[in-house]
Amino acid sequence: MNIYDQLQAVEDRYEELGELLSDPDVVSDTKRFMQLSREEANTRETVDVYRTYKKVLQAITDSEEMIRDAAGDAELEAMAKEELKQAKLEKEDLEERLKILLLPKDPNDDKNIILEIRGAAGGDEASLFAGDLLNMYQRYAESQGWKFEVMEASLNGVGGYKEVVVMVSGESVYSKLKYESGAHRVQRVPVTESQGRVHTSTATVLVMPEVEDVEYDIDPKDLRVDIYHASGAGGQNVNKVATAVRMVHLPTGIKVEMQEERTQQKNRDKAIKVIRARVADHFAQIAQDEQDAERKSTIGTGDRSERIRTYNFPQNRVTDHRIGLTLQKLDTILSGKMDEVIDALVLYDQTQKLEALANE
């Protein structure tokens, strides 16, 4: 099937979806209605661009015909040639957009995420940097209109984070933050450094798509659930009522602890969300490791310990090592204005996939 046949098939399906979504039987089936609504939303841009493309093709045909019919009318011919030139330029731009829109879509792109940040090498300074990354992502989420909910946090004594787990909810969260997984390196003078020497520390980031129970079902027999008394902040019920939940997935040994909420049920609900995402991610990573050729053609799917980005404070510089991007905007990026970095990563990934398709 060539690209035009693909586009026509997408438009035909889009029109079919419009009819289905007005069908009373579909409207009364909430689950099916939501699935079809999501499918329609995902194809809307492709259809809009394709319809514009067809209008431009017609404009090219009309301009060529006008040039043939303009015999002896220099002014009309000149006008028709200019319109033809502009239409051909627009046609090229639209063809590039359509190629990208027809790239295989990551099925997780529209999902919410579970974001985990951990202080790694560098002691207290690594934990403080983990806090800086948390603030960066929170401010970026706010700029996107997303919900940012800290599910579990383990603080150290200097105000940093040993580990923090966050649920980020909203439109197309995974599509924008999926490239953030990896080791983030910071170079700066710690506040505890008396001689002004620059230290290097790291924090790791893991981005996992939220997984619904209908997508990945964990057998209850594979889970060990322990209930215990919460420690630290949490209200008067701390140490009086057992509300904290520890959940272990026995086949993999993956463990989750939740104690932020005041009730055992709320902590249990959060724990199952996180452990489902971690277990699904664990097996997805194993499958990905078996597909080396595919992994080399994309970004953000390689070794989770790979150093992906450096934040250099003395030079106000951020460097993404995967795509060779360097920006003298560290303060701006850490304030949550991440669009320039994220857009560059998305463009690079799309370019790599287009090249891979062209070489098939």
Side-chain angles (χ1 to χ4, degrees), residues 82-107:
E82 180 60 28
E83 288 179 358
L84 179 61
K85 177 183 175 184
Q86 293 303 318
K88 285 185 174 179
L89 289 173
E90 189 175 358
K91 174 176 175 283
E92 289 179 12
D93 290 341
L94 290 169
E95 284 175 344
E96 290 304 310
R97 282 186 66 189
L98 287 167
K99 284 178 187 175
I100 290 170
L101 287 167
L102 284 176
L103 283 173
K105 189 173 171 62
D106 187 329

Side-chain angles (χ1 to χ4, degrees), residues 333-346:
I333 291 166
L334 282 180
S335 74
K337 295 173 181 172
M338 299 178 64
D339 292 292
E340 196 168 350
V341 177
I342 289 171
D343 290 348
L345 288 162
V346 170

Side-chain angles (χ1 to χ4, degrees), residues 132-172:
D132 292 336
L133 292 175
L134 177 68
N135 290 333
M136 177 181 75
Y137 292 125
Q138 182 168 11
R139 289 169 181 169
Y140 178 69
E142 288 168 356
S143 75
Q144 301 296 306
W146 297 337
K147 182 181 177 183
F148 194 89
E149 179 189 7
V150 175
M151 300 178 76
E152 187 70 8
S154 176
L155 294 157
N156 72 352
V158 297
Y161 289 86
K162 297 177 187 174
E163 177 183 1
V164 60
V165 181
V166 180
M167 171 73 80
V168 189
S169 311
E171 186 176 345
S172 303

Side-chain angles (χ1 to χ4, degrees), residues 167-332:
M167 171 73 80
V168 189
S169 311
E171 186 176 345
S172 303
V173 178
Y174 186 77
S175 71
K176 293 187 176 180
L177 291 182
K178 63 183 175 182
Y179 307 113
E180 294 301 300
S181 290
H184 294 240
R185 182 175 72 167
V186 62
Q187 295 172 325
R188 65 183 173 191
V189 179
V191 291
T192 55
E193 171 57 57
S194 59
Q195 297 182 28
R197 291 175 299 190
V198 174
H199 286 228
T200 298
S201 308
T202 57
T204 59
V205 173
L206 178 58
V207 175
M208 298 175 290
E210 183 185 14
V211 181
E212 301 292 342
D213 54 356
V214 293
E215 298 174 284
Y216 193 91
D217 187 32
I218 294 180
D219 190 330
K221 296 196 295 293
D222 288 340
L223 289 178
R224 189 184 79 226
V225 181
D226 302 321
I227 308 300
Y228 60 100
H229 292 278
S231 60
Q236 294 181 352
N237 66 333
V238 171
N239 296 325
K240 292 182 181 179
V241 182
T243 59
V245 173
R246 180 185 299 109
M247 202 171 279
V248 181
H249 183 249
L250 298 173
T252 61
I254 292 171
K255 180 175 73 172
V256 172
E257 295 182 358
M258 285 290 160
Q259 62 173 17
E260 294 291 302
E261 297 292 342
R262 291 172 178 269
T263 69
Q264 181 191 127
Q265 187 58 50
K266 286 184 178 179
N267 282 321
R268 184 188 287 266
D269 290 345
K270 284 188 173 183
I272 192 66
K273 278 180 181 285
V274 175
I275 206 161
R276 189 183 291 123
R278 285 183 180 172
V279 171
D281 179 74
H282 170 79
F283 289 112
Q285 188 67 19
I286 291 173
Q288 188 68 55
D289 288 342
E290 294 171 354
Q291 298 173 2
D292 288 339
E294 181 181 344
R295 191 171 74 186
K296 287 172 186 172
S297 70
T298 59
I299 55 175
T301 55
D303 185 353
R304 292 289 166 78
S305 64
E306 175 191 5
R307 185 189 72 201
I308 64 167
R309 194 175 298 146
T310 295
Y311 304 73
N312 184 294
F313 274 71
Q315 298 177 29
N316 195 39
R317 185 183 70 221
V318 173
T319 300
D320 194 291
H321 304 287
R322 296 164 295 179
I323 60 175
L325 175 70
T326 296
L327 300 170
Q328 305 293 145
K329 298 179 180 179
L330 180 142
D331 51 348
T332 301

